[in-house]
Amino acid sequence: MNHQPIASSPSDDVDPARLRRAVVAANIPTLVAVLYQLTADRRWLAERYRPTRSRGMDDNMTGGLPDEVQDEIRAATVDAVLEWNRGAAPANETLDLGALMEVMEFTMGEPVPHEFGPMMSEVLGFDDTPAPRPRREVPSDFSVVVIGAGIAGMLSSVRLTQAGITHVVLEKNANVGGSWWENTYPGAGVDTPSYLYSLSFFQHPWSTHFGKRDEVQDYLEKFADAYDLRSKIRFGTEVESAIYNESEQNWTITARDAEGSPITLCANAVISAVGLLNRPKTPALPGIESFTGELFHSARWPSGIDLRGKRVAIVGAGASAMQIGPAIADVVDDLTIFQRSPQWIAPNDVYFSEVGDDVHWLMDHVPYYHEWYRVRLSWIFNDKVHPTLTVDPEWSEPRLSINATNHAHRGFYTRYLEDELEGRPDLVDKCLPDYPPFGKRMLLDNGWYRMLKRPGVELITEGVAEITQSGLKDADGHGYEFDVIIMATGFHTDRLLYPMDVIGRSGATTREAWGEHDARAYLGITVPDFPNLFIMTGPNTALGHGGSFITMLECQVRYIMDALKQMIDDDLGVIECRRDVYDDYNRAVDNAHSTMVWTHPGMSNWYRNADGRVVAVLPWRIIDYWTMTRHADLADYVTETALTTTQH
């Protein structure tokens, strides 16, 4: 992933007094790891300094250690960093996998499977494998079209430039950022820690532990500036179709520019980076055109809208609604939320907390601090919970939970809900899910429960049946009047590549190959009959169990670049996924999902299509996908030698 350590060599500006102030704000388990790497002193792996296991999705700032022990760790860190700053080499420039996992398990306060070692070694910068690049000169007529300039498209452009591959990025919007550019609603932000929801090789001094939309968008614009990506992007250009030309071994891409004029491009390969959450889905409710107030999807928030003193409805109670509600509750006159089904919500002690200048200073000046903190977040938020999401066939309570650990999670999150809604048994009844935890993506509490208790806020659990001129009616026929209706109703997550027409070798579109709502791909990236087409954020690559999707994107880009490298090095004009490989992989996906919580019949979710097949999320851990995508094995593909110029 081309990791770059932030503090890999001593600097002259480590002021002792500044260091002593900064370590007070440090994550203590992270300092323990830093101490051991700098000193190799095994006293720091003694029981006295062993952190406790983190609570839920919390980064456990104190490690659960007594104050005097924390102070010992801070003081020793100051001494070790100052010694390093005077020129002493770290006792452990790197750690072998055994030592790395020993330190990781110790600082996490719980067992960590040792198969995570290679991935964590990469995060720490010990295994800095360069991005795949061709050995031979890239032919002058070899080119790639990238569709979309969100995170995936920009990351693709960086790697293509580094590999010397001519390319252009086509973006329908006026700026980079994709979904982050489009979603401007109040409260918009990430539910993954900022220092994990970041590109591994492009760091940023995040102001809050969970970045808000404007800062995330600013981060992505700075990324575009740092790598001069705008010179590769055609803004205001929306792709309408991509057609594979078998006789030419290339793709013809048609698009329209900002003035509506047609554009035609040809390329050897196409990378679709259009995203999964970029086409809003609004239910076709009767009367939706008749409403005389303002009605809009949350992803199309009107610029300059003033909600002060308005009667506002939010239709939906998922992630977007949960961010919007607390952000507008103290502005509107009254707020009514229409909830189809409740969500499980996890506490997080630092959700609203600022990171602070001291932590930024640590990230910049203390060797290995950023890397070990990212390792910590990678474990807590990525794969830690995954083993608990498999159904135990012997479990005696199959409706409310799926195994003993999942049942314990249910108890923990239920107690939190009851504590937050104390004194409101009516809200407890409405908010307590009757399906297992993690059946839908776990949400983090940003004040949702406390908002529901406020005067002027009402939670309705009947579905919306009809929009009227003055408001809406619920499924029981009760009418409500509103000035503004916000449709927080999600996206077309099961209509991959919609609304583009992508036509393969046989003349069939992807919709004809898949059906309207049943996309499949090998590794979520490549599909038979569509040679040299690579899909990012493809089917079964979203994360249902948590974690940073940017990690997944880096895995996908590395795989795609390895495939393109081999095409160029081996003088190939075509690589096309074998049908048997594709079928075997998707059987494995479906078999894995059949044992997971997401197929539980007790709830619906955006992971499944209308037939109940899970089409959106990965059934495996991120470490499994990281391993699967380390290298593109061309034995999985049908290949054709590139046509010569005279053959064209």
Side-chain angles (χ1 to χ4, degrees):
M1 294 185 187
N2 266 161
H3 165 92
Q4 290 180 341
I6 200 166
S8 57
S9 60
S11 60
D12 295 328
D13 58 352
V14 176
D15 175 63
R18 185 70 186 91
L19 176 58
R20 291 187 184 94
R21 289 199 307 274
V23 294
V24 175
N27 179 275
I28 293 297
T30 302
L31 286 188
V32 173
V34 169
L35 257 179
Y36 180 74
Q37 190 164 350
L38 287 176
T39 68
D41 188 343
R42 293 195 63 83
R43 77 175 276 217
W44 301 114
L45 302 184
E47 198 63 31
R48 175 178 175 80
Y49 306 104
R50 183 186 297 277
T52 59
R53 181 177 181 271
S54 64
R55 168 180 166 268
M57 295 180 178
D58 184 74
D59 68 357
N60 197 11
M61 282 293 292
T62 68
L65 297 172
D67 290 345
E68 66 272 15
V69 175
Q70 295 179 51
D71 288 342
E72 280 184 54
I73 293 167
R74 294 187 185 104
T77 301
V78 169
D79 292 342
V81 171
L82 292 177
E83 184 70 18
W84 167 81
N85 193 61
R86 287 190 288 268
N92 293 308
E93 290 277 3
T94 64
L95 298 175
D96 63 31
L97 293 182
L100 188 161
M101 293 311 298
E102 181 185 18
V103 174
M104 187 175 172
E105 285 195 334
F106 182 84
T107 56
M108 297 301 169
E110 61 185 334
V112 179
H114 282 216
E115 63 199 286
F116 283 83
M119 182 177 179
M120 296 307 166
S121 181
E122 183 179 81
V123 174
L124 287 162
F126 301 158
D127 179 18
D128 193 14
T129 305
R133 301 175 190 181
R135 293 188 307 274
R136 62 184 287 243
E137 184 176 352
V138 180
S140 59
D141 61 348
F142 189 94
S143 66
V144 176
V145 165
V146 179
I147 306 173
I151 302 173
M154 289 195 290
L155 178 58
S156 299
S157 182
V158 168
R159 296 310 191 205
L160 288 165
T161 298
Q162 291 171 341
I165 297 175
T166 301
H167 67 282
V168 63
V169 182
L170 305 180
E171 170 53 53
K172 62 181 171 58
N173 293 325
N175 200 352
V176 300
S179 293
W180 290 110
W181 169 253
E182 295 172 356
N183 284 267
T184 60
Y185 61 80
V190 299
D191 63 356
T192 303
S194 304
Y195 280 97
L196 188 58
Y197 195 87
S198 310
L199 291 153
S200 65
F201 58 96
F202 190 71
Q203 295 166 18
H204 176 76
W206 292 99
S207 64
T208 57
H209 288 276
F210 290 84
K212 294 302 182 186
R213 180 266 172 192
D214 289 353
E215 187 171 7
V216 176
Q217 177 63 24
D218 180 63
Y219 170 73
L220 298 178
E221 291 184 29
K222 287 177 178 175
F223 177 59
D225 293 341
Y227 287 90
D228 190 28
L229 297 181
R230 297 175 197 278
S231 65
K232 305 290 196 305
I233 302 171
R234 295 190 188 182
F235 292 106
T237 303
E238 182 158 13
V239 173
E240 295 182 335
S241 68
I243 302 172
Y244 182 69
N245 312 302
E246 185 172 17
S247 62
E248 301 292 321
Q249 297 180 330
N250 66 11
W251 287 87
T252 299
I253 297 93
T254 59
R256 291 198 178 273
D257 66 17
E259 285 72 45
S261 301
I263 296 171
T264 301
L265 298 170
C266 287
N268 300 77
V270 173
I271 298 175
S272 169
V274 299
L276 189 66
L277 306 176
N278 76 323
R279 297 290 179 175
K281 180 171 64 176
T282 301
L285 292 168
I288 198 166
E289 301 295 334
S290 68
F291 183 59
T292 56
E294 294 194 73
L295 185 150
F296 51 87
H297 192 279
S298 59
R300 298 293 182 264
W301 196 269
S303 176
I305 188 171
D306 187 358
L307 298 179
R308 285 178 294 182
K310 300 289 180 67
R311 300 167 299 172
V312 177
I314 300 178
V315 179
S320 298
M322 191 163 292
Q323 293 182 339
I324 294 169
I328 67 172
D330 60 350
V331 173
V332 303
D333 188 54
D334 61 64
L335 177 63
T336 306
I337 298 152
F338 292 84
Q339 171 188 279
R340 184 172 58 178
S341 65
Q343 304 275 352
W344 285 109
I345 303 174
N348 187 280
D349 292 345
V350 297
Y351 187 86
F352 294 105
S353 302
E354 293 185 356
V355 172
D357 291 341
D358 286 338
V359 173
H360 295 155
W361 193 92
L362 291 169
M363 298 286 185
D364 289 343
H365 295 90
V366 172
Y368 312 115
Y369 185 86
H370 175 273
E371 291 78 13
W372 275 109
Y373 186 63
R374 188 171 166 106
V375 162
R376 183 165 189 78
L377 296 178
S378 295
W379 170 244
I380 293 171
F381 277 83
N382 279 357
D383 288 336
K384 175 180 173 178
V385 76
H386 189 277
T388 72
L389 306 184
T390 300
V391 176
D392 177 359
E394 305 299 321
W395 184 241
S396 60
E397 175 48 271
R399 186 174 68 88
L400 300 180
S401 55
I402 58 170
N403 56 48
T405 305
N406 185 253
H407 197 70
H409 288 158
R410 181 182 187 86
F412 174 78
Y413 296 125
T414 298
R415 288 190 295 275
Y416 177 70
L417 178 153
E418 291 172 341
D419 289 345
E420 289 292 302
L421 296 176
E422 185 178 7
R424 291 293 304 274
D426 59 320
L427 287 176
V428 171
D429 290 342
K430 290 179 178 180
C431 293
L432 183 61
D434 61 357
Y435 58 86
F438 296 93
K440 303 181 183 185
R441 185 176 170 98
M442 184 66 66
L443 302 179
L444 297 182
D445 189 12
N446 64 334
W448 176 260
Y449 289 141
R450 295 180 186 181
M451 176 207 69
L452 292 177
K453 296 172 67 175
R454 295 175 60 134
V457 176
E458 185 176 7
L459 182 65
I460 306 295
T461 56
E462 284 76 31
V464 175
E466 177 186 353
I467 305 295
T468 65
Q469 285 188 331
S470 59
L472 57 78
K473 289 183 179 179
D474 66 23
D476 285 345
H478 296 128
Y480 305 83
E481 293 191 351
F482 299 107
D483 303 306
V484 178
I485 299 176
I486 302 166
M487 306 298 289
T489 47
F491 299 85
H492 287 286
T493 55
D494 60 352
R495 300 179 73 181
L496 196 71
L497 306 184
Y498 167 83
M500 293 188 300
D501 285 321
V502 180
I503 301 171
R505 182 194 294 272
S506 69
T509 66
T510 51
R511 288 195 294 277
E512 290 168 332
W514 292 329
E516 193 70 29
H517 303 281
D518 196 23
R520 302 164 190 252
Y522 175 53
L523 299 173
I525 296 173
T526 181
V527 182
D529 198 46
F530 297 87
N532 308 350
L533 171 67
F534 303 99
I535 303 169
M536 299 189 66
T537 64
N540 296 114
T541 61
L543 295 172
H545 66 285
S548 173
F549 196 56
I550 292 180
T551 302
M552 296 291 287
L553 296 180
E554 294 200 45
C555 290
Q556 291 166 15
V557 167
R558 177 165 49 198
Y559 182 89
I560 293 166
M561 291 306 304
D562 191 41
L564 292 174
K565 169 190 178 299
Q566 293 181 74
M567 282 186 70
I568 293 165
D569 286 342
D570 297 345
D571 195 26
L572 299 175
V574 169
I575 64 168
E576 178 181 349
C577 182
R578 285 169 36 193
R579 176 69 61 175
D580 60 324
V581 170
Y582 167 88
D583 288 340
D584 288 347
Y585 179 82
N586 283 285
R587 272 193 295 271
V589 166
D590 291 344
N591 289 338
H593 274 310
S594 70
T595 67
M596 300 297 292
V597 67
W598 305 303
T599 54
H600 191 278
M603 77 286 166
S604 61
N605 54 41
W606 60 265
Y607 306 160
R608 303 195 300 236
N609 64 17
D611 297 325
R613 180 175 178 269
V614 178
V615 295
V617 298
L618 184 76
W620 299 297
R621 302 167 302 174
I622 293 174
I623 181 62
D624 300 320
Y625 193 76
W626 181 88
T627 303
M628 292 174 185
T629 53
R630 295 296 289 164
H631 173 65
D633 185 353
L634 292 195
D636 295 333
Y637 291 82
V638 176
T639 62
E640 296 174 12
T641 301
L643 300 174
T644 65
T645 303
T646 55
Q647 285 175 304
H648 280 289

